[in-house]
Amino acid sequence: MPLRKHRCRFKSYERCFKASEAVDCLHELLGSNQNFGPEVTRDQTVKLLKKFLKNHVIEDIKGRWGKEDFEDDGHLYRFPPSSPLKSYPKKPSCGKEVIKFPDWDETKAGPFQEHIPVKSVMNSEMWYKRHSIAIGEVPACKLVFRRDLTQTNIEEIWKSMTLSRLQKVLGLDSLDEVLDTKLVNSKHIVQNVYNVNKQGIVILEDKSKELPHWILSAMKCLANWPSCSDLKQPTYAGFERDVFKTIVDYFGQMKEPLLTFHFFDIFVSVLGLLQKPSKAVEALQISCLLLPPENRKRLQLLVRMMARISLNQDLPPLSESVRTRTLMVQVFSHCILCSKDEIDLDELLAAKLVSFLMDNYQEILSVPSALKSSVEDHVVHLQRVQIRYAGADSDAALPPPSFCHQITTGEFEYQRATGSQEPLAALLEEIVMNKEISVKDKKKKLKQFQKSYPEVYRVRFPSPETEAMLFPEKAKQKPPILMWALKKPFQPFHRTRSFRM
């Protein structure tokens, strides 16, 4: 900021500047800065200078500050004689501190320490004398012995870091809008990560929750068609359609979809990331780890079968009117994803997600390696014996993860719009622009959407007029005007007698 001499009310002031000069200078600076750019307005610059005045970065010519009364005018301001920044606290000096190393023969352990037996080769005094000659004096330190983490501790770490990573991938400030974290079972996450076979399929501890043998045989038959001779199936015409119908009937009778009602919102929010496939894949990888192990295994087997059937050129058509891939999406979408209320709109949401699952099922239904490595590294860090120096916190390098914190009302409304409402808005637009469905069906779907998601509907159709523009009424022909309607109504003739005088 250029400073010079100014006059005000017959008095001169050295090393000061006018308010308008400050706005000019700062506005030009912000406009040329790559972090801001030419979009910065003069109004925004004035607001920033008001903050400067309130926080004593600048003061008026009489030394007053603390209020946001800065205006774009000719008032004089100056920089304060001393810096408004607070001085940094001085670090405690440890150069002359007497060094005391722990006694290797000591058997006492604190509440968070455990005694690890070490063979005593030399006492602490001899050890200190030898090493102080070699490396000189060092700050006082102590060894911290960690306890072995229990299985419950590890499960909670997995839950915390998994939800933290999911929140980051979705770009949300909190998961509260799309997920009740209390319903997330930490045991399920650990089982889905570690209890798997060579193909990555979950191994269930409770064998009663496995798929029936006859369903597995039917799924293998269609997935490996025609090389399924070990099943000894009959070879009559239409056999493959009967097998397919058996599989559809079994999965169609489930009371809850494989992705469960509790996790419906979290999977719908992933639909907003489909334009960024890598982000969507990672979000679905993590979301599928939250499922109960039996649901995850069934999803793995079902989607793998659907993908193989869709790509199998040797398999005869399973429907005469619908392509095989479209048929897979239509018949299995409802048993993979739907809401508890069960409305027609679920079919469109589920179809999008299931199509993406079929295209990327190998990556999505595998364990995310980056998340697994970070959790395991954190567990090793907690179990490692560490040296803690005086005045330092050994855990500062790797803070404990957290997955939720309180946010403002404005942030909450923003994440609602970007999290779950954007995919719903895209779905509404798809219904509006779809020319294949009849006007009657379109009105019915829009009515359902308005009932289920009134806020999203109100944004697209803020007034009845905007909604009426979607369905312009045909001009009604006026009935022809009858000629007799123009005549006066018939009036009966009344006879009158004339009296002569």
Side-chain angles (χ1 to χ4, degrees), residues 108-138:
K108 295 180 180 179
F112 297 98
Q113 297 179 349
E114 288 185 359
H115 172 63
I116 300 177
V118 180
K119 292 183 179 180
S120 177
V121 180
M122 63 180 71
N123 59 28
S124 59
E125 185 178 354
M126 291 173 61
W127 190 92
Y128 165 66
K129 285 181 179 179
R130 174 177 294 183
H131 288 77
S132 62
I133 294 171
I135 62 175
E137 293 186 352
V138 295

